[in-house]
């Protein structure tokens, strides 16, 4: 059963996933490169980008849990920790962060894709590995733009506001 805090944590982590790619795409060539990579890996662009979003959300949930942060404390979460969780956690470990129910049907659909990839094995394992590297790379691009400070979830949302990337409160 989902607790209210776990549901709120997922919602806030899913927000990070939804605005990650628009923030990375502030440099338009990055989107073209990502699309080329997805096609080269045999992953559809739309499906791949939704998987990247949910992967980032799952990594954020895992990093928050590792740091013992509640949904209310998520603003302190380091994007570096999320990047490390994206490649340092197995897909099964990441699935633990999924809520029992979803407020957004798009999240539920993306989580279904992620589950399918996780349980399929074979080429799907390779795709998850490639997507984990793409998520890590996207987070590190954001982190590098924020130098000399190490960005947090809260700083990332402020950057998104300044860049005009819309998100819900």
């Amino acid at each position: 059963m989902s607790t209210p805090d776990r549901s709120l944590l997922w919602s806030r982590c899913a927000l990070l996933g939804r605005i990650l790619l628009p923030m990375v795409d502030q440099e338009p060539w990055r989107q073209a490169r990502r699309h080329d990579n997805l096609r080269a890996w045999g992953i559809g662009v739309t499906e791949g980008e939704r998987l990247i979003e949910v992967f980032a959300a799952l990594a954020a949930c895992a990093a928050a849990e590792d740091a013992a942060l509640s949904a209310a404390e998520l603003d302190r979460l380091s994007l570096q920790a999320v990047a490390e969780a994206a490649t340092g956690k197995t897909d099964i470990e990441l699935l633990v962060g999924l809520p029992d129910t979803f407020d957004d049907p798009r999240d539920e659909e993306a989580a279904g894709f992620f589950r399918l990839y996780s349980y399929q094995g074979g080429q799907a394992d390779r795709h998850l590995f490639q997507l984990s590297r793409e998520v890590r790379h996207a987070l590190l691009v954001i982190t590098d733009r924020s130098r000399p400070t190490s960005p947090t979830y809260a700083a990332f949302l402020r950057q998104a506001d300044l860049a005009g990337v819309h998100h819900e409160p």
Side-chain angles (χ1 to χ4, degrees), residues 59-115:
C61 284
E65 183 151 319
D66 287 350
L69 297 175
S70 69
E73 300 166 317
L74 193 64
D75 285 349
R76 298 189 340 236
L77 181 65
S78 158
L79 292 188
Q80 179 68 38
V82 179
E84 290 170 10
T87 55
K89 300 279 186 184
T90 66
D91 48 326
I92 301 303
E93 288 175 303
L94 293 174
L95 284 170
V96 171
L98 286 174
D100 296 330
T101 59
F102 296 87
D103 294 333
D104 185 339
R106 287 177 20 110
D107 288 344
E108 187 168 13
E109 178 185 54
F113 280 140
F114 193 91
R115 277 190 192 105

